[in-house]
Amino acid sequence: MRLRVRLFAVQRELARTREVGLELADGATIEDGWAALVECFPVLAPGRPSVRFARNGVYADPDTILSDGDELACIPPVSGGAEPDQTTIRVIQLRDAAFPTGLGEELGARLATPADGAVVVFAGRTRETPGTPAPGQDAEAARHAGRRVQALDYEAHEPMAEAVLNQIADEVAVRFGVHRLAIVHRTGSVPLGEVSILVVAAAPHRGAAFDAARYAIDETKARAPIWKAEEFRDGHIWVGAPARSAAEPARGAAEPARSAAEPAGGAAEPARSAAEPARSVSDQKAGS
């Protein structure tokens, strides 16, 4: 049978190709496909402990049986539901151009309904200090130690990334009851200080909106097949950890929103207005 193998980030650089065609025996597994790939490109072998796999755009175990014509994506370390109803609004995008100023507020206005009293906006920016190098990048990281990051370069398995982001949005709806969510991620080069990801959650109460935004960014970083290279003046290093292929177990149903200081002894909470004012939280200065 014929297998199409796709390589990304550090694997693509090591093999010097994005795609490889392999011939395998009927009944071959994903692990067999990896072994055949390593025969062609032995330089990939040391990365096996941190590699995850996807068959036709869906994470799969190494012992999964392959079929003729399958696509096998080898996933190096990454950068990291309820049925939709009339109140579900979702924006999932990968963009290769800089985000316009005010995009977070624009998405918040697009998501929020009259029932929503909270809009949380998280913006992740390129910072000058380096992150944790991906497995196999330690020597290159040591060469750039103490240097300032100039930009980040993002690469994605776009159809699979969008599917994973939609799955995360489904989980947000189930775990936190938040049905209005945006996850917008950059691809390509993102200079120092520019925004690379926006997560926006709208909900009736701030507690659920904050929880939803935090879960969405954490799961995106851990699971989406999006890779990040830190660019320096004279080179780059790939950063990240092995991809997690599924959500972490739920810690329990989300609690209803409440005031920061709860009254002792079970006393009744003071009355509040039905809708709390919309607000945003961001790791960047307003307007940048």
Side-chain angles (χ1 to χ4, degrees):
M1 65 178 172
R2 186 74 175 171
L3 179 68
R4 176 192 180 205
V5 180
R6 296 187 65 186
L7 301 175
F8 300 91
V10 64
Q11 294 174 346
R12 170 181 53 75
E13 291 184 346
L14 290 171
R16 298 185 179 182
T17 184
R18 295 179 180 273
E19 188 172 313
V20 180
L22 295 176
E23 294 284 347
L24 300 177
D26 290 342
T29 65
I30 285 177
E31 194 67 59
D32 294 330
W34 171 262
L37 179 68
V38 168
E39 285 186 15
C40 298
F41 304 98
V43 70
L44 299 178
R48 177 64 187 90
S50 59
V51 173
R52 302 293 182 267
F53 301 102
R55 175 176 176 255
N56 300 328
V58 179
Y59 279 114
D61 294 329
D63 59 0
T64 300
I65 303 295
L66 295 166
S67 299
D68 184 50
D70 276 353
E71 175 193 280
L72 175 62
C74 299
I75 308 295
V78 293
S79 120
E83 289 297 320
D85 57 29
Q86 68 273 17
T87 62
T88 296
I89 306 173
R90 184 177 298 180
V91 180
I92 303 293
Q93 293 179 353
L94 299 176
R95 296 191 180 192
D96 61 2
F99 295 161
T101 300
L103 179 59
E105 290 74 12
E106 176 186 324
L107 289 169
R110 180 175 171 183
L111 295 177
T113 70
D116 294 321
V119 174
V120 170
V121 179
F122 170 83
R125 307 189 332 155
T126 297
R127 65 172 187 265
E128 64 180 7
T129 53
T132 303
Q137 293 283 282
D138 294 319
E140 189 67 9
R143 190 170 75 85
H144 296 291
R147 298 180 182 176
R148 181 172 176 262
V149 174
Q150 309 260 318
L152 296 177
D153 191 67
Y154 287 93
E155 179 178 332
H157 183 338
E158 296 198 7
M160 184 177 175
E162 290 176 354
V164 170
L165 296 182
N166 272 293
Q167 182 180 355
I168 291 168
D170 288 341
E171 294 161 8
V172 164
V174 170
R175 294 186 182 217
F176 310 108
V178 174
H179 299 270
R180 291 169 289 287
L181 182 75
I183 307 174
V184 183
H185 205 301
R186 279 290 312 275
T187 58
S189 182
V190 183
L192 186 68
E194 288 195 9
V195 176
S196 58
I197 183 170
L198 282 167
V199 175
V200 184
H205 301 287
R206 66 182 181 272
F210 274 108
D211 289 343
R214 177 61 181 265
Y215 182 87
I217 182 61
D218 287 350
E219 292 299 302
T220 295
K221 297 287 284 184
R223 293 160 55 192
I226 300 172
W227 301 277
K228 178 172 68 177
E230 293 174 340
E231 301 284 348
F232 297 90
R233 185 181 63 257
D234 59 348
H236 68 270
I237 61 171
W238 294 96
V239 298
R244 178 157 45 77
S245 57
E248 290 186 324
R251 297 177 182 175
E255 295 181 353
R258 50 193 171 187
S259 60
E262 295 182 343
E269 291 185 1
R272 298 178 295 186
S273 61
E276 296 168 346
R279 63 187 71 183
S280 67
V281 60
S282 170
D283 59 359
Q284 63 173 338
K285 294 181 180 179
S288 62

